[in-house]
Amino acid sequence: RKNFIVDAGITVKGRRSQFETEGPFSNGSFYTEFKINPSYHFAKANTTLNIFYKFTGNMPNFIIDAEGVISENRRDEYNMLDFTATSKFWKGRVGLTLGVKNILDVTSIQGSSAGGAHESGGSSISIGMGRTYFTSLTFQFNQPIKK
């Protein structure tokens, strides 16, 4: 469609620990990320709606326990979803954006963490601060040169 755009991609990423040769680690230290970002522009209203979706697959995680034993486990897969709406007014010189980040309210996933100086070990890993809302107002004071 004329006003409809879709940006999509898939990535296979790998993780390796510097200790990998010292233990019985699997070769399955790879995970997949997938994104799709559809966008639609309403020309008459000069408004664009955007959706940002990202899937992160089971990610490998390396842990060193209190005795110095290294182990490998997997973090759970998760999905992130954001939305923005942007409108331009006054010959495109004023822009207003409204949006929501982390619509699915993902704050933690299952997976082991060894704990650090400021956290205790456990089976839940923090990955986000929850759903947030935002707005932006922009002004363009100079007129762009049109060719």
Side-chain angles (χ1 to χ4, degrees), residues 71-128:
S71 61
E72 178 184 359
N73 69 349
R74 311 280 297 178
R75 296 180 183 180
D76 277 355
E77 59 190 38
Y78 62 96
N79 301 282
M80 298 299 280
L81 183 65
D82 302 338
F83 172 79
T84 64
T86 303
S87 289
K88 300 224 174 185
F89 309 96
W90 197 36
K91 298 181 183 178
R93 292 183 182 165
V94 177
L96 175 65
T97 301
L98 302 171
V100 183
K101 291 189 175 206
N102 196 358
I103 293 170
L104 304 173
D105 201 24
V106 179
T107 57
S108 63
I109 58 173
Q110 292 301 306
S112 295
S113 64
H118 303 287
E119 62 183 60
S120 62
S123 63
S124 182
I125 299 170
S126 177
I127 60 163

Side-chain angles (χ1 to χ4, degrees), residues 44-70:
K44 288 185 180 182
N46 203 11
T47 299
T48 303
L49 303 178
N50 299 288
I51 296 173
F52 304 94
Y53 169 77
K54 182 179 175 186
F55 166 82
T56 301
N58 285 55
M59 185 184 306
N61 192 30
F62 298 96
I63 298 172
I64 302 174
D65 67 14
E67 288 80 36
V69 176
I70 303 164

Side-chain angles (χ1 to χ4, degrees), residues 132-143:
T132 58
Y133 304 90
F134 67 93
T135 185
S136 169
L137 183 63
T138 59
F139 298 94
Q140 183 176 344
F141 293 107
N142 59 346
Q143 183 67 22

